[in-house]
Amino acid sequence: MLSRRQTLTMLGLGTVSTGLMLGAGGLWLDYRRRWETPALAQTLFALLPDPDGAAALGALWLARHPELVASPRALPDHLAARLAGHGWVAAGDGLAAMVVAIVRDEFRRGQVEDVQGWRLSEFQAALCGLAYHMTSLPRMG
């Protein structure tokens, strides 16, 4: 289990926590079979210095956001839409800087979520959800 100090640096953007696995069910198992990893998801996942720690928190966050597990593309599309809303056009060198800017902006505007006592920007929480997908779902292809 990570210490709180370790989790503070996990995303390199703010705070994170540890958590529990998302519950299974018929819809979830079907979701796992149909998961596809878009290039953007892979690029965002690569930005995480501690994917396993982020994944633990992401499981808790996804349990509160069933709309993002209803379809294999829901979470990647959600992240892409959030990036596009901040002017992102295509993955590249500026993606990490844009993620940092989004997180800062969300904290300034109070767009935060509490997960096990840790306050995360909404985008950070979604990145943790992505980490859960990327570390726990079977590789396709």
Side-chain angles (χ1 to χ4, degrees), residues 89-101:
V89 179
D93 293 335
L95 184 59
M98 176 159 288
V99 169
V100 170

Side-chain angles (χ1 to χ4, degrees), residues 9 16 23 25-26 43 52-53 81 95 103 107 121 128 131 136:
T9 59
V16 293
T43 303
D52 292 328
L95 184 59
V103 169
F107 271 104
S121 82
C128 289
S136 65

Side-chain angles (χ1 to χ4, degrees), residues 18-39:
T18 58
L20 305 171
M21 298 297 285
L22 186 62
L27 176 64
W28 179 242
L29 294 175
D30 182 53
Y31 179 87
R32 289 174 62 102
R33 283 191 295 273
R34 295 183 295 130
W35 172 257
E36 296 175 20
T37 306

Side-chain angles (χ1 to χ4, degrees), residues 27-113:
L27 176 64
W28 179 242
L29 294 175
D30 182 53
Y31 179 87
R32 289 174 62 102
R33 283 191 295 273
R34 295 183 295 130
W35 172 257
E36 296 175 20
T37 306
L40 176 60
Q42 292 175 353
T43 303
L44 287 169
F45 180 71
L47 296 175
L48 299 170
D50 182 4
D52 292 328
L57 182 58
L60 287 174
W61 183 79
L62 284 170
R64 288 196 248 163
H65 295 278
E67 72 279 7
L68 295 176
V69 293
S71 152
R73 295 293 306 214
L75 183 56
D77 289 349
H78 171 76
L79 288 165
R82 299 293 301 276
L83 287 164
H86 283 82
W88 178 80
V89 179
D93 293 335
L95 184 59
M98 176 159 288
V99 169
V100 170
I102 291 169
V103 169
R104 285 182 184 153
D105 185 51
E106 288 180 346
F107 271 104
R108 275 195 296 272
R109 292 185 301 166
Q111 292 177 292
V112 296
E113 296 197 33

